[in-house]
Amino acid sequence: FSTFFFLLYNKIRYLSKNRLVTGVFYGAFIWVIMYMVVVPLSKVPPQPINLVDAIVNMVIIVTCIGIPLSFMANAYYSKG
């Protein structure tokens, strides 16, 4: 996900306009891909979605991956 974001960040100028919003949306995108693609492909038995758990998981991914990744990509491409 990080490599994909760094490749997109340099190509799409809109991503550098607001780093916080970009990080939130990218973190949410990561959660959706993990929940809708990766988990079903694993052999974990399907479970009904719990809204509170889903929101907590999304907030964790946005906070720990999406937002920091957006700021790191901005810092990396601003130096060049």
Side-chain angles (χ1 to χ4, degrees):
F1 285 109
S2 299
T3 302
F4 179 67
F5 184 78
F6 267 76
L7 293 173
L8 282 179
Y9 195 86
N10 195 26
K11 305 284 187 229
I12 303 172
R13 293 289 175 206
Y14 177 74
L15 295 177
S16 63
K17 299 288 186 202
N18 190 332
R19 294 178 300 246
L20 187 61
V21 172
T22 299
V24 169
F25 280 115
Y26 194 67
F29 169 76
I30 292 171
W31 181 85
V32 168
I33 296 299
M34 293 298 290
Y35 184 78
M36 301 297 285
V37 177
V38 176
V39 173
L41 287 175
S42 69
K43 298 299 181 191
V44 176
Q47 297 179 0
I49 188 167
N50 180 339
L51 186 60
V52 174
D53 289 343
I55 291 171
V56 168
N57 293 335
M58 189 179 291
V59 168
I60 290 170
I61 290 176
V62 165
T63 305
C64 296
I65 297 174
I67 294 171
L69 190 58
S70 179
F71 278 85
M72 284 186 262
N74 187 296
Y76 178 79
Y77 286 115
S78 294
K79 291 179 183 179

